[in-house]
Amino acid sequence: MASIPLNTSDFSRKLLEILDNVEYRRIESSEDMEDVERLRWKAYKAHDVLALAPKGLLDDTDFDSHAYVFGLYYYGELVSTVRLHYVTPDHRVSQSAGAFPKAIDSLLDAGLTLIDPARFAADPEMTADLSWIPYLTLRPSIVAAAHFRADRVLQFCRPPHAAFYKRVFYADTIVPGRLAKNYGIDMTLMATNVIEVGRKLLTRYPFFISSASEQRMMFSRGPDSRLPSLTIIPTARFVPEGQFGTDLPL
């Protein structure tokens, strides 16, 4: 097991300890997808944003070949979920592109590959007591960047949340907050340049570190992509010390 660096903050130490009681599940089965749908409804209703999902709480994009839906389980209970898209110049399905197509096309036309998190939802009855949920729910986006050797991790969010992504993910603003017509509210587009800040990100937040085996379990798919949902144990505490520098395309 890797030792925890002495300069690791108390917050990061706490989240590394919490990881011992956390597991991820890549949602593949219809039963687990129904659980995700119920959690999305519960979370969006609590925050009065159900109208932002006019096509329903499950849509065709959830089943795209480059989409990965994850559930975060704490002591065996589903507490949050996120959907990730691996976006490439040849496969441009992206939640963010629905609001800011020109910005996304500009990145892809430059040959960049992107990780686009979407459909974040957390159990509103648990978020008040579990302030770490956003960090660990979004952790798969960093694991995805490592696995796919992606150039950017996107953050498509409401302007009040931009400070969080700038502080935690060292995100830059690509599109300042403005009305997204397909949502009817102001949204902003940000991106983390993982090539430039990957080492700094993993040093500051070692709970984002992942092993190659965890990356494969999260994102590798065989010919049959609809196998039973895979349960994945996070590996941040088990990556040999000094090897995390290879986890992101630095």
Side-chain angles (χ1 to χ4, degrees):
M1 180 185 298
S3 60
I4 300 174
L6 293 176
N7 62 352
T8 300
S9 69
D10 290 343
F11 175 75
S12 289
R13 288 173 182 268
K14 177 182 178 182
L15 264 67
L16 282 167
E17 294 172 358
I18 289 171
L19 280 180
D20 289 341
N21 304 306
V22 160
E23 62 186 31
Y24 294 93
R25 188 174 298 172
R26 195 176 82 195
I27 305 302
E28 303 284 0
S29 74
S30 58
E31 181 179 349
D32 284 337
M33 195 64 82
E34 289 172 0
D35 289 340
V36 165
E37 182 179 25
R38 284 191 289 269
L39 180 56
R40 288 176 179 176
W41 184 89
K42 186 177 181 180
Y44 297 170
K45 180 176 175 58
H47 293 283
D48 196 26
V49 291
L50 278 173
L52 302 186
K55 295 182 181 180
L57 296 177
L58 291 180
D59 56 49
D60 291 342
T61 311
D62 284 306
F63 306 96
D64 180 77
S65 62
H66 282 215
Y68 301 84
V69 180
F70 291 97
L72 175 66
Y73 293 77
Y74 184 51
Y75 287 103
E77 184 174 354
L78 177 65
V79 296
S80 62
T81 179
V82 69
R83 181 179 74 200
L84 304 181
H85 282 95
Y86 173 46
V87 190
T88 71
D90 296 325
H91 193 100
R92 300 194 173 207
V93 177
S94 165
Q95 184 84 3
S96 298
F100 301 122
K102 291 182 179 180
I104 299 299
D105 281 341
S106 178
L107 295 171
L108 296 173
D109 290 344
L112 301 183
T113 55
L114 317 170
I115 304 300
D116 188 19
R119 295 288 198 168
F120 177 99
D123 190 327
E125 296 177 3
M126 306 187 77
T127 50
D129 296 327
L130 304 177
S131 60
W132 49 263
I133 284 179
Y135 298 84
L136 296 189
T137 306
L138 293 169
R139 179 178 175 271
S141 67
I142 304 302
V143 180
H147 178 75
F148 292 111
R149 315 301 290 175
D151 298 291
R152 302 286 188 276
V153 174
L154 301 179
Q155 296 92 18
F156 176 57
C157 62
R158 301 175 76 170
H161 299 157
F164 168 82
Y165 290 106
K166 183 177 182 179
R167 173 175 56 85
V168 175
F169 292 93
Y170 302 108
D172 299 314
T173 299
I174 296 178
V175 180
R178 70 185 190 199
L179 180 66
K181 293 182 179 179
N182 55 335
Y183 287 87
I185 60 173
D186 286 350
M187 300 292 290
T188 188
L189 180 65
M190 308 178 75
T192 298
N193 184 333
V194 290
I195 296 174
E196 292 185 355
V197 305
R199 185 179 297 276
K200 180 167 65 171
L201 179 66
L202 296 181
T203 299
R204 183 180 182 188
Y205 298 116
F207 51 84
F208 285 141
I209 295 171
S210 59
S211 68
S213 61
E214 182 185 359
Q215 294 164 22
R216 288 192 298 270
M217 288 191 69
M218 277 195 171
F219 297 105
S220 292
R221 279 181 172 154
D224 182 0
S225 62
R226 292 300 159 205
L227 296 172
S229 300
L230 295 175
T231 297
I232 302 147
I233 304 300
T235 57
R237 287 165 65 90
F238 302 96
V239 175
E241 187 175 2
Q243 292 190 15
F244 70 86
T246 62
D247 284 347
L248 288 177
L250 301 170

